[in-house]
Amino acid sequence: MGVLVVDDEPLARARLARQLQSIDGCQLLGEAADGESALQQLDSLDPDLLLLDIEMPGENGLQLATQITNRPNPPAIIFCTAHDEFALPAFAVAPSGYLLKPVSVEQLAQAIAQARRLSKPQRQILHAEAPRTSHAGGRRQIKAVSRRGVQLLDVDDIRCFVAEDKYVIAHHSGGETVLDESLKELEAEFGERFVRVHRSAIVAVEYITGLQKHSGGYVVTLSGTAQTPPVSRRLQGNIKSLLEEMA
């Protein structure tokens, strides 16, 4: 995977260049300190991936990314920035990742692995379809922002949403991720694919495997996760009827 690093800070470019050396299947093709230089090298080097800063003199990274993604067969873009406030406008140009500085080699490797899954034509199609919507209603991906950066979760991979204290946790095949969204909002958006089982949990219908007795009540079992959300007495009849329809 050929990579072009675009950042106005020489030390930041050098750090990313060193980290790329330890990631299998990646080759540093070049470096650019501003948007104009990046566009020139984009034409000559034809990179598969841009590691792109946002705050730069002249044209910033968001403006540059908009230009690039409107080109035929654009490269993947991973934003590497010191500011989390750009996350929402950044995802309007459909990047493959959004990392907060200082970027660790583990975070970079994970973001690159995600970007590597799609070919250039596939990325172009996804960008053309933005904002992303699901075949069954709601977004295809959910954005989670943390100190480690921005993570995109495929909704089709989420087994359940569970409310804990002030947060909602999405449980998926890769583990769990804290979201800054309410359970009520998620149920309203994804109600065609997720069903309420408790005031603190909604679960993905396609991953339900059964009901089990537990502590005088029931829990719902799900494939691909050890989580077993409780089922309220009021909703037990609904879940049993759903299981009969699925059988």
Side-chain angles (χ1 to χ4, degrees), residues 103-245:
V103 178
S104 71
V105 67
E106 291 81 10
Q107 292 170 329
L108 184 60
Q110 183 178 11
I112 290 176
Q114 179 175 335
R116 198 195 303 266
R117 294 174 190 155
L118 297 179
S119 66
K120 286 185 180 180
Q122 286 172 322
R123 285 193 293 271
Q124 188 178 23
I125 291 170
L126 286 178
H127 177 70
E129 291 177 347
R132 297 176 183 183
T133 57
S134 169
H135 62 279
R139 291 162 287 174
R140 288 183 178 177
Q141 293 180 312
I142 292 178
K143 176 177 64 66
V145 181
S146 69
R147 292 181 180 178
R148 295 179 296 176
V150 177
Q151 181 181 6
L152 288 177
L153 302 177
D154 290 332
V155 175
D156 288 340
D157 188 44
I158 296 173
R159 272 56 177 177
C160 60
F161 297 103
V162 179
E164 295 185 11
D165 297 325
K166 298 179 181 180
Y167 303 99
V168 170
I169 299 177
H171 295 272
H172 46 87
S173 62
E176 59 184 49
T177 301
V178 177
L179 304 177
D180 188 22
E181 303 191 41
S182 73
L183 202 62
K184 184 178 181 180
E185 291 171 339
L186 292 168
E187 182 183 21
E189 182 174 0
F190 303 116
E192 295 182 29
R193 286 179 292 164
F194 288 78
V195 62
R196 173 77 68 165
V197 296
H198 192 270
R199 61 182 176 84
S200 65
I202 59 176
V203 303
V205 173
E206 67 175 304
Y207 292 113
I208 296 176
T209 58
L211 286 174
Q212 287 185 353
K213 288 188 176 181
H214 181 75
S215 300
Y218 285 92
V219 296
V220 61
T221 56
L222 303 165
S223 62
T225 179
Q227 289 296 313
T228 54
V231 180
S232 67
R233 291 184 179 180
R234 180 176 62 87
L235 296 174
Q236 284 177 14
N238 293 346
I239 304 306
K240 289 179 179 178
S241 297
L242 177 62
L243 286 171
E244 290 176 0
E245 293 176 8

Side-chain angles (χ1 to χ4, degrees), residues 6-14 31-33 53 55-56 82 101:
V6 185
D7 197 308
D8 63 312
E9 299 178 6
L11 291 178
R13 295 199 305 271
E31 300 179 17
D53 189 20
E55 286 200 311
M56 298 185 296
K101 296 178 180 177

Side-chain angles (χ1 to χ4, degrees), residues 71-84:
R71 291 183 164 205
N73 298 328
I77 295 174
I78 296 175
F79 287 112
C80 300
T81 177
H83 306 278
D84 61 3

Side-chain angles (χ1 to χ4, degrees), residues 3-33:
V3 183
L4 175 63
V5 176
V6 185
D7 197 308
D8 63 312
E9 299 178 6
L11 291 178
R13 295 199 305 271
R15 177 185 175 88
L16 290 172
R18 288 196 305 271
Q19 292 175 332
L20 285 171
Q21 293 177 358
S22 63
I23 300 176
D24 291 339
C26 287
Q27 179 186 6
L28 177 64
L29 298 181
E31 300 179 17

